[in-house]
Amino acid sequence: MSEQAGAFCPPFPRNWRHRHLLDLESLSAEDVTILLDTAERLSEEFRATGRKLALLSGQMIANLFFENSTRTRNSFSLAAKRLGADTIEFSASGSSVSKGETFIDTAKTIEAMGVDAVVTRHATPGTSHLLARHLDCAVLNAGDGPHEHPTQGLLDILTIRQHRGTIAGLTVALVGDIAHSRTARSNIWGLKKLGAHVIACGPATLVSRQWEKLGIEVAYNLDEILPRCDVLNLLRIQFERQSTRPFPSVREYALLYAMNAERMRKSKSDILIMAPGPINRGVEITPEVADGPHSVILQQVSNGIAVRMAALWLLLGGPGSGGNVAGGRD
Ligand code: NCD
């Protein structure tokens, strides 16, 4: 693959007005569609030419991760590089955070190095919104506790759209740990805006009736809803966010909610099986389903790069954007 950046420059969407990408709740259906269409456009160009695009050359993007990540962190880095930008990788371990520096001071320090955008992940809900108030550069939320994970929602929706052509009218079930899932919240906002019927399904300890207030259906029996579902998004049980066990045993959870070969036989013949990852084989999904013909889990990973390219370009590549030169860039 050539290292040389290409001169491709698509027209900038006229109606895009945002400086940050903090959640899907505050975006309009048009904003979500712009993000998805831009993701398709940029990844098509990258695939066709096999060359980095020069859309953000000279710009600097910092990954500020205070929580573990495999897919999100690496795909944000790769997305930045495919747009010709440079990246700074920050991890809380090994940084001055261990010497008592605050989250905001750490972020401001990184910004002062001439950063144009900060991609942030933190265990506390609202941290990316907080940074957006304190920093001058663009802020992208890569997951704030159980609140939102907008690029995950977008990549899930893009994957569905690629298979079904549209989102409106589809029935999409989010199955598992809804209570602790930022992926669930971002999916709900994005899918609802584009006209899907969303079902949150799982044990009552992890799916409250309160979710109905968001205009979605709540269900406790996967076998009952299965024949109606076009898409299942299987969410991991987030044991790390729970103080007490939400069910008697993992075996019992798997018995009631794991997608397995028998449940596949009761599903629509063209059902899509998705998972944000990391997947726990044998808990929310069995290996034959995870690796089977209906699974689009790895396509979701590839689409993660595309939607992150779109988000970075829309925030940093608009007319008049020249990048943050504070602190120099050498
Ligand atoms: C999700 C996350 O971190 O919120 N994963 C991801 O970003 N791909 C879901 C999870 O951790 O289970």
Side-chain angles (χ1 to χ4, degrees), residues 278-300:
I279 59 171
N280 285 150
R281 289 170 184 261
V283 183
E284 68 272 9
I285 191 166
T286 58
E288 73 267 26
V289 178
D291 305 325
H294 293 262
S295 167
V296 291
I297 296 171
L298 293 177
Q299 187 182 343
Q300 288 172 263

Side-chain angles (χ1 to χ4, degrees), residues 71-72 121 149 152 182-183 236 238 276-278:
R71 294 154 191 77
T72 308
R121 170 172 283 196
H149 190 355
Q152 182 68 46
R182 49 198 176 206
T183 295
R236 187 176 64 87
Q238 309 226 349

Side-chain angles (χ1 to χ4, degrees), residues 95-125:
S95 75
S96 291
V97 171
S98 61
K99 299 179 189 170
E101 189 167 68
T102 68
F103 174 60
I104 291 173
D105 284 336
T106 302
K108 283 187 159 178
T109 301
I110 299 284
E111 184 185 34
M113 294 179 188
V115 159
D116 300 287
V118 160
V119 178
T120 178
R121 170 172 283 196
H122 200 285
T124 306

